[in-house]
Amino acid sequence: MIPAAFDYYRPKDLPGVVALLQEHGDDARVMAGGHSLIPMMKLRMADVPHLIDMQDVDGMNGIYVGDTGVRIGAMTTQAELIDSAELADAAPILREAALQIADPQVRYMGTVGGNVANGDPGNDMPGLMQCFDATFTLFGPDGERTVPAREFYEAAYMTAREDDEVLTAVSFPTPAGGYAYEKQKRKIGDYATAAAAVQIVKDGGSCASASIAMTNLSDTPVFSEAAGAALVGTSVDGDAIRAAVAAMLNDIDPVDDNRGPVAFKNHVAGVILTRAIERAWSRA
Amino acid sequence: MKDEVTRDDRIAGLKGMGTSRKRVEDARFTQGKGNYVDDIKLDGMLFGDFVRSPYAHARVTNIDTSAAMEVPGVLAVLTAADLEPLGLHWMPTLAGDKQMVLADGKVLFQGQEVAFVIAEDRYAAADGIEAVVVDYEELPVITDPFESLKSDVVLREDLDPTADGAHGPRKHPNHIFTWEAGEKEATEQVIDAAEVVAEEMIYYHRTHPCPLETCGCVASMDKVNGKLTLWGTFQAPHAIRTVVSLISGIEEHNIRVISPDIGGGFGNKVGAYAGYVCSVVASIVTGKPVKWIEDRMDNLMTTAFARDYWMKGKIAATKEGKITGLWCHTTADHGGFDACADPTKFPAGFMNICTGSYDIPTAYLAVDGVYTNKAPGGVAYRCSFRVTEAAYFIERMIEVLAIELNMDAAELRRINFIKADQFPYQSALGWEYDSGDYHTAWDKALNAVGYDNLRREQAQMVEDFKSGKSRKLLGIGLCHFTEIVGAGPVKNCDILGLGMFDSCEIRIHPTGSAIARLGTISQGQGHATTFAQILASEIGLPADSITIEEGDTDTAPYGLGTYGSRSTPVAGAATAMAGRKIRAKAQMIAAYLLEVHDDDVEFDVDRFVVKGAPERFKTMKEIAFAAYNQAIPGIEPGLEAVSYYDPPNMTYPFGAYICVMEIDVDTGEHSIRQFYALDDCGTRINPMIIEGQVHGGLTEALAIAMGQEIAYDDMGNVKTGTLMDFFLPTAWETPHYTTDHTTTPSPHHPIGAKGVGESPNVGGVPAFSNAVHDAFRAFGLRQAHMPHDHWRVWKIANQLGLHG
Ligand SMILES: Cc1cc2nc3c(=O)[nH]c(=O)nc-3n(C[C@H](O)[C@H](O)[C@H](O)COP(=O)(O)OP(=O)(O)OC[C@H]3O[C@@H](n4cnc5c(N)ncnc54)[C@H](O)[C@@H]3O)c2cc1C
């Protein structure tokens, strides 16, 4: 568990980061909290001759809660998310989800930006960001651009981010209604066997809108538009939930691994989503 | 006025046996000031690491080390060809087999050691490993022992297929041994004639002890004085010294083996590993100290695993549930080499304790050991040689029999327990149980958990489940186990010919403090605390004034080390016996000082008093001073003693465990509502340490039963080589434990103590597993193999049709 040799850089600003990325191309990687990247380097599964540590880069921190939306700097740690009272108020699901990521030691280091940029289907934040319909801000040689979270993920570890771009922030409209982040895992510090992010808006006795995203059940996070649609206009009764689950199962594509065979994962995905919907609805 | 010091005060001041004395080790451990092998740093020390095979079965056709030698900092690369002239390319295993130190033409398991890179630091060694080019030719892989015994693929081409192995005839080139106990024909007759027979295949999956500290060593050959010093994570330092001497030819007085602080062993650090041999050779070759430390993946994938027993059982009984016979055939998967750590005469360990706590008149056991393309090992992971397997087998068979009889499993146990007045009890498979009172323990346990109410609640939950009100089921996991520990009597217990006695040497200092050295080695058990307590009670000096030292073969008396809960039964007995020798001499000195006859003084807590005149006494402190500083006619100066203790029998701790578990039928998740553990380990030396040992052992049992495994795919790749997939519980997954005890001393042990460190693992696994099984009993489940992780529990429910 010893990484190969690498050069270490610690630039102070974003242009400095981008310059290094341009200079070294494929051979360079940015590091945020390092809690996904360093294990891969130690296993020699990631070859990173040039490692660019972003801890000193200005302007990538901070949580801004506005009237209509939230913006979180990429270098914000999971622990900071959990500790922010403002955020707990504006988007309580974020805290509920962050508390289910790894353990406190990992959360003190792991960042929001690293979690969403990584492209690991096991990460919890990407699905949540899709549930929010968040936007990712990328900074590259040509300046800033934004990409919707729902269009960002292409395959495992493959995203819309170019090699010479840095993800600087995530932004999303203040979520409305009831929420739930439900996650089944084998033990503390484990990635999800199945996880569901649900936001539901209630109008009278019926569902006005619903947003549903699933984690670690495909090679990317899965925003299931059809599952949400199955709830809209209903009283979120058993039939509606079953319809939402059926729609979700159409959208996911789990694989057999140490967490269990495909049939189990499909079953658990349904159970987890059912529980998330029920809990979100009860809070709506 | 000064308060009178009472006799009770004097007893309390000793902090002797029965006291919850705080662990003296913890001051350094809780401050991060332990001294582990990897903390050892010597001038000019080099670092060695292995090129390991990515394949489970392959021929090694070429090893090109030239590029590695170009890596800055790399000094040498050893291969089998380099070790062969020294005769060190293979080494003997503890089980009488031999094992490649470095791949000699082929590899037999994934992760097998192929070449040893020696470099200036571990970074350069890691780069060197990447640069070694090995050509492999893949061979067919066998990961199933049953298939192995039928296969044309010969795994061990180095062995003559027709020759006997270390334990007798072999039936097939991939077969290692057959070992039998009990009466085959008689048992089969009982089973044929029985009113009721329950039959089941019970698999105890492969797992791993996974100590927090991995294995490692530092070898330092001093070429000037010819002395080799070897620091290492050794559970048996003296045995390692003897083995190193035998295989290297270095005389034993020129070898010093030191086990410093050890971060857990659990059996993983009993055997000899290629890393030790290569480090020693590397130090001899380079003339510099060489360190080798495994990483976590090395440890999980290549060092000694545990279990992997396929146990086919038949249990016969009358209609009323009285057991009449037990039959067991075990297929034991030993991996590529037979490196089991068992006493020589017991290639399947003490698996013949599998009649458990029950009075079973007739029994038969056969075990077949088999080679496969998996890592070698087969150690007693927090148990005495294969006792966990035996306990799991019988405690599952009892449950299956209860189902067959449609009987309550607690009652079935009760009517079959060996009765208190039957001890010492001769078991059908050859053991003499020393003492026990199972009925008392069992009734205490059932009462403590409110057993009858739990059964009512369980029935209600089944009703609620059936009527759709709930999706949860309740399991009540029962276990009454009997351990066999304290190996052992030299007449039938040895490892590599080394008798399994143990030892203690005591020196009393003139001012009344002492040092005692033992042949064992603590890996977290708290020996420095408890052995001082035994001595305090025996010799009347405060435990706080007694230093316990272990693990340095230059200073400690010879002993076989710490595993199999043998330290208290064997070295603890030696400690008491050596203490008694001290006391005998002290008695003579006291009599001289008090000017009375030897027989006219008697020992009282911390002094000798003149019989009938309690105001006339000499304290042990005074006696110690006199021993060194006063000329006493007919008595040599000094106060020292040594005892080598060869136990007359094993000890047989037992316990009653009950686990109450709720299971989510839809997700396969569980939650443990209650865990009650009653242990009877005979005389209790330090109740707090016992409780700590029970908590630790139960948590490892939880791990094994509920998720921990070393799993292989069909290609022989290890699927669980990191702690992401190998389950090591944290405080989060660990339930609250309620501990309790009864006390039935061992009649043959000097202080009546039996050992406890492993009981909770032996009894815990069946309790957790039986809880899972019991939850589904109402729906027809008989047997589902561990580990009971989420998907496997889900699968039970799914196959029983509980998902609608
Ligand atoms: C034991 C353990 C358990 C874990 N369990 C979970 C879990 O249950 N759920 C979960 O979601 N995560 C889990 N994680 C992952 C953890 O949350 C990571 O820290 C996180 O996924 C990555 O964040 P990081 O800041 O550490 O990123 P890094 O490791 O620094 O980077 C990850 C990747 O993203 C890239 N990257 C990082 N930041 C940026 C950026 N701003 N712009 C562009 N690219 C960037 C890096 O180049 C790298 O490729 C676990 C980690 C560990 C060690």
Side-chain angles (χ1 to χ4, degrees), chain B residues 10-22:
Chain B
R10 290 194 279 125
I11 293 172
L14 293 180
K15 299 192 191 161
M17 283 198 286
T19 315
S20 284
R21 180 185 183 218
K22 280 196 181 156

mmCIF file of all heavy atoms in Angstrom, chain B residues 10-22:
data_model
loop_
_atom_site.group_PDB
_atom_site.id
_atom_site.type_symbol
_atom_site.label_atom_id
_atom_site.label_comp_id
_atom_site.label_asym_id
_atom_site.label_seq_id
_atom_site.Cartn_x
_atom_site.Cartn_y
_atom_site.Cartn_z
ATOM 1 N N ARG B 10 -4.986 -5.679 54.555
ATOM 2 C CA ARG B 10 -3.771 -6.297 54.029
ATOM 3 C C ARG B 10 -4.073 -7.077 52.754
ATOM 4 O O ARG B 10 -3.317 -7.027 51.782
ATOM 5 C CB ARG B 10 -3.136 -7.212 55.085
ATOM 6 C CG ARG B 10 -2.531 -6.432 56.266
ATOM 7 C CD ARG B 10 -1.626 -7.323 57.104
ATOM 8 N NE ARG B 10 -2.370 -8.160 58.031
ATOM 9 C CZ ARG B 10 -2.281 -9.497 58.108
ATOM 10 N NH1 ARG B 10 -1.481 -10.145 57.298
ATOM 11 N NH2 ARG B 10 -2.971 -10.176 58.990
ATOM 12 N N ILE B 11 -5.195 -7.781 52.772
ATOM 13 C CA ILE B 11 -5.582 -8.531 51.559
ATOM 14 C C ILE B 11 -5.810 -7.562 50.400
ATOM 15 O O ILE B 11 -5.293 -7.750 49.294
ATOM 16 C CB ILE B 11 -6.850 -9.374 51.822
ATOM 17 C CG1 ILE B 11 -6.523 -10.487 52.830
ATOM 18 C CG2 ILE B 11 -7.398 -9.953 50.518
ATOM 19 C CD1 ILE B 11 -7.738 -11.266 53.301
ATOM 20 N N ALA B 12 -6.562 -6.493 50.691
ATOM 21 C CA ALA B 12 -6.872 -5.535 49.621
ATOM 22 C C ALA B 12 -5.594 -4.905 49.076
ATOM 23 O O ALA B 12 -5.469 -4.673 47.870
ATOM 24 C CB ALA B 12 -7.828 -4.462 50.149
ATOM 25 N N GLY B 13 -4.629 -4.659 49.957
ATOM 26 C CA GLY B 13 -3.385 -4.003 49.546
ATOM 27 C C GLY B 13 -2.585 -4.832 48.557
ATOM 28 O O GLY B 13 -1.809 -4.300 47.762
ATOM 29 N N LEU B 14 -2.766 -6.127 48.581
ATOM 30 C CA LEU B 14 -2.031 -6.983 47.643
ATOM 31 C C LEU B 14 -2.558 -6.875 46.224
ATOM 32 O O LEU B 14 -1.847 -7.132 45.268
ATOM 33 C CB LEU B 14 -2.120 -8.450 48.086
ATOM 34 C CG LEU B 14 -1.421 -8.843 49.386
ATOM 35 C CD1 LEU B 14 -1.625 -10.337 49.638
ATOM 36 C CD2 LEU B 14 0.063 -8.524 49.327
ATOM 37 N N LYS B 15 -3.847 -6.533 46.077
ATOM 38 C CA LYS B 15 -4.530 -6.568 44.766
ATOM 39 C C LYS B 15 -4.325 -7.936 44.110
ATOM 40 O O LYS B 15 -3.935 -8.047 42.938
ATOM 41 C CB LYS B 15 -4.025 -5.466 43.843
ATOM 42 C CG LYS B 15 -4.262 -4.066 44.384
ATOM 43 C CD LYS B 15 -4.012 -3.040 43.305
ATOM 44 C CE LYS B 15 -3.973 -1.633 43.865
ATOM 45 N NZ LYS B 15 -3.312 -0.693 42.963
ATOM 46 N N GLY B 16 -4.578 -8.954 44.874
ATOM 47 C CA GLY B 16 -4.362 -10.313 44.394
ATOM 48 C C GLY B 16 -5.548 -10.857 43.613
ATOM 49 O O GLY B 16 -6.329 -10.096 43.016
ATOM 50 N N MET B 17 -5.666 -12.167 43.650
ATOM 51 C CA MET B 17 -6.695 -12.827 42.847
ATOM 52 C C MET B 17 -8.085 -12.390 43.276
ATOM 53 O O MET B 17 -8.362 -12.225 44.458
ATOM 54 C CB MET B 17 -6.554 -14.333 42.976
ATOM 55 C CG MET B 17 -5.394 -14.835 42.141
ATOM 56 S SD MET B 17 -5.519 -16.585 41.868
ATOM 57 C CE MET B 17 -5.068 -17.187 43.459
ATOM 58 N N GLY B 18 -8.965 -12.214 42.267
ATOM 59 C CA GLY B 18 -10.334 -11.812 42.537
ATOM 60 C C GLY B 18 -10.533 -10.307 42.511
ATOM 61 O O GLY B 18 -11.652 -9.819 42.592
ATOM 62 N N THR B 19 -9.437 -9.555 42.364
ATOM 63 C CA THR B 19 -9.542 -8.093 42.351
ATOM 64 C C THR B 19 -9.666 -7.592 40.914
ATOM 65 O O THR B 19 -8.953 -8.065 40.033
ATOM 66 C CB THR B 19 -8.244 -7.462 42.920
ATOM 67 O OG1 THR B 19 -7.879 -8.175 44.089
ATOM 68 C CG2 THR B 19 -8.436 -6.006 43.241
ATOM 69 N N SER B 20 -10.521 -6.592 40.707
ATOM 70 C CA SER B 20 -10.582 -5.950 39.388
ATOM 71 C C SER B 20 -9.498 -4.890 39.306
ATOM 72 O O SER B 20 -9.754 -3.696 39.202
ATOM 73 C CB SER B 20 -11.965 -5.343 39.149
ATOM 74 O OG SER B 20 -12.881 -6.358 38.841
ATOM 75 N N ARG B 21 -8.273 -5.360 39.361
ATOM 76 C CA ARG B 21 -7.140 -4.444 39.282
ATOM 77 C C ARG B 21 -7.074 -3.833 37.888
ATOM 78 O O ARG B 21 -7.272 -4.514 36.886
ATOM 79 C CB ARG B 21 -5.876 -5.274 39.551
ATOM 80 C CG ARG B 21 -4.597 -4.502 39.522
ATOM 81 C CD ARG B 21 -3.407 -5.450 39.690
ATOM 82 N NE ARG B 21 -2.183 -4.678 39.739
ATOM 83 C CZ ARG B 21 -1.043 -5.063 39.180
ATOM 84 N NH1 ARG B 21 -0.978 -6.217 38.555
ATOM 85 N NH2 ARG B 21 0.017 -4.302 39.248
ATOM 86 N N LYS B 22 -6.793 -2.551 37.835
ATOM 87 C CA LYS B 22 -6.681 -1.907 36.518
ATOM 88 C C LYS B 22 -5.471 -2.442 35.773
ATOM 89 O O LYS B 22 -4.438 -2.722 36.373
ATOM 90 C CB LYS B 22 -6.548 -0.395 36.686
ATOM 91 C CG LYS B 22 -7.884 0.255 36.932
ATOM 92 C CD LYS B 22 -7.799 1.751 36.703
ATOM 93 C CE LYS B 22 -9.150 2.367 36.982
ATOM 94 N NZ LYS B 22 -9.038 3.772 37.341
#
